[in-house]
Amino acid sequence: SSIPALKTEDDSWPVQSEEKANHLAEGFESKYAMPSIVEIQFVSAPENRQAVFVAVRSRTMFHLLQHIDVNKATGPDRIAGRILKELAKELTIPLTILGRRILAEACWPDRWREHFLVPIYKKKSVYDRNNFRGVHLTSIVAKTIERASKSRCIRNSEEI
C-alpha cells in the first residue's frame, strides 16, 4: 500500500492494508454522509413516454472511443482505456446497441453503479485520515455510453 501508517484517535498506528482501509472508510463515512432516502415522491410520474426518439449514433460512439484518455485509471470492470481506444472500431457497434437498449429500457446496469473509492492525499499531515479525500473510479465503458447518450439527449432537448 502506498498510504503510510495512519494515526487513530486512540494513538494507535494501523499499518496493515486492511486496517488502513477500514480507518479511511470510517473517516470518509463520517465526512461524506449521504442524506437519508425520502419516501415521499414530490413529482408525479410522467403521463406518457418521451415523444422524441433519442438514438445513440455509432459515429458518436466511435468518436468517443477514439478519444478516451489512456492515462485514466480503470474502474471496477478493470478494462483499461488503452484497450478500448485500440479496439474502438470493433467495439463501436456492440456499445452503440447497448447504449440504445439502455435508453429504450430506461434502466442503467447495476454493475455500472459500482465505484472504487480511492484515497488521495490533500495537504498537511500524511498520518491524519482527515487529510485524504475520496475519489470515485467509475467504469470507462459506462462513462463512454453515458457521454454518448447525454450528448444526444441534450441536443434533442434543445431542438424541442
Side-chain angles (χ1 to χ4, degrees), residues 66-153:
Q66 279 187 318
H67 291 89
I68 287 177
D69 186 358
V70 296
N71 296 318
K72 296 285 183 180
T74 61
D77 62 359
R78 307 257 190 217
I79 301 174
R82 182 181 56 81
I83 293 171
L84 294 171
K85 189 171 184 170
E86 288 179 11
L87 297 174
K89 189 174 181 182
E90 291 79 10
L91 292 174
T92 297
I93 298 300
L95 290 181
T96 302
I97 293 169
L98 184 60
R100 289 175 183 169
R101 184 161 182 192
I102 287 170
L103 280 176
E105 294 178 6
C107 182
W108 195 254
D110 289 334
R111 183 78 173 145
W112 287 352
R113 294 179 188 184
E114 296 177 10
H115 305 273
F116 283 158
L117 184 62
V118 179
I120 304 291
Y121 171 70
K122 291 190 300 188
K123 58 184 176 184
K124 297 184 182 176
S125 174
V126 73
Y127 305 110
D128 184 9
R129 73 176 177 195
N130 295 323
N131 294 331
F132 286 84
R133 64 182 172 92
V135 174
H136 289 268
L137 297 181
T138 311
S139 167
I140 297 173
V141 176
K143 286 192 269 187
T144 304
I145 291 180
E146 181 181 344
R147 286 182 187 128
S149 59
K150 180 178 73 172
S151 67
R152 294 298 302 163
C153 290

Side-chain angles (χ1 to χ4, degrees), residues 11-27:
D11 290 334
S12 64
W13 293 84
V15 292
Q16 299 297 325
S17 295
E18 187 174 342
E19 294 171 346
K20 289 190 276 187
N22 290 335
H23 187 60
L24 283 169
E26 290 169 6

